[in-house]
Each structure stands twice: as structure tokens, then as C-alpha cells.
Amino acid sequence: QAHLVESGGGLVQPGGSLRLSCTASELTFSRYAMSWYRMAPGKGRELVATITTPGGSANYPDDSVKGRFIMSRDNAKNTVYLDMSSLKLEDTAMYYCYAQHRNTLRISYWGQGTQVTVSS
């Protein structure tokens, strides 16, 4: 069974930065599109960023994070990162890592999540 383990969350002041990490195990990392999602209290889950292929660039569907968040992928380490800067109160959420097999869409995995709290 594959596992995704996130780390790096915590409490940060507005304007601060955090780096989230997600390390995958027991899967062929190169075959998966990797994404970060977040879920804020009282809101639905939203897609933050995706890197579809091992050498691909990140896509940020959420305009509110463009220019502030950077997703990267280290295929040698089976790890993706989310570098978050200029954090705002509204970035407070549980952040989840998600792996989606590119060829077999029913194969996907979620991490357990890491909490990011932006507060003064």
C-alpha cells in the first residue's frame, strides 16, 4: 500500500513563509501526477497546485496563491514541496498531498494532511 507523508506545517504570522513536504513510498513516483490540496474550516477542499509529469511545471488553478506559492518535485527523493510565502490569514487550512496515477485514474492516494495556521 502506498503512503504519502506530509510535513512542515505549523503556526506562522501573516507575511511569513513555510515549506511543506510530501514524501511518497511504495509507488512508482514517476507515474503519478502530484498535487497539493487544502481545506479550510467550513469550506470545501480546493486544489492549490499540481505537477503532472516528472519534468513538468506546476499549475496553480487558484489565483489567490499565484506568485506566493511554488510547487516543486524531486523525483530522486519521491518528494514534492510547496513553498509558501507572503502567507495570509485566509491560507489557514489543512494541506493535503495527493497522488494520481496518470494512466489509471482509479489509482490515487491521499496523505494525512499537515495543518497550516496563519495568525498574528
Side-chain angles (χ1 to χ4, degrees), residues 16-96:
S17 300
L18 279 176
R19 169 177 255 206
L20 306 183
S21 300
C22 170
T23 299
S25 61
E26 303 301 324
L27 56 77
T28 304
F29 191 68
S30 61
R31 296 179 182 173
Y32 286 79
M34 300 298 298
S35 300
W36 286 99
Y37 283 80
R38 66 183 179 183
M39 183 177 293
K43 295 186 178 181
R45 185 171 54 202
E46 61 178 357
L47 176 61
V48 176
T50 297
I51 298 179
T52 302
T53 59
S57 56
N59 181 45
Y60 307 93
D62 185 350
D63 287 341
S64 71
V65 308
K66 288 180 180 178
R68 300 189 299 120
F69 289 11
I70 298 174
M71 182 179 181
S72 58
R73 178 172 181 153
D74 186 336
N75 298 305
K77 296 182 178 180
N78 283 11
T79 299
V80 293
Y81 304 96
L82 186 67
D83 288 289
M84 307 184 294
S85 60
S86 301
L87 284 162
K88 304 176 180 179
L89 297 176
E90 53 264 40
D91 293 319
T92 295
M94 185 71 80
Y95 284 72
Y96 296 92

Side-chain angles (χ1 to χ4, degrees), residues 76-120:
K77 296 182 178 180
N78 283 11
T79 299
V80 293
Y81 304 96
L82 186 67
D83 288 289
M84 307 184 294
S85 60
S86 301
L87 284 162
K88 304 176 180 179
L89 297 176
E90 53 264 40
D91 293 319
T92 295
M94 185 71 80
Y95 284 72
Y96 296 92
C97 182
Y98 178 68
Q100 172 72 66
H101 195 287
R102 288 198 306 277
N103 297 326
T104 307
L105 298 182
R106 63 180 174 82
I107 300 176
S108 63
Y109 303 97
W110 288 96
Q112 83 288 350
T114 185
Q115 178 68 39
V116 172
T117 301
V118 184
S119 176
S120 56

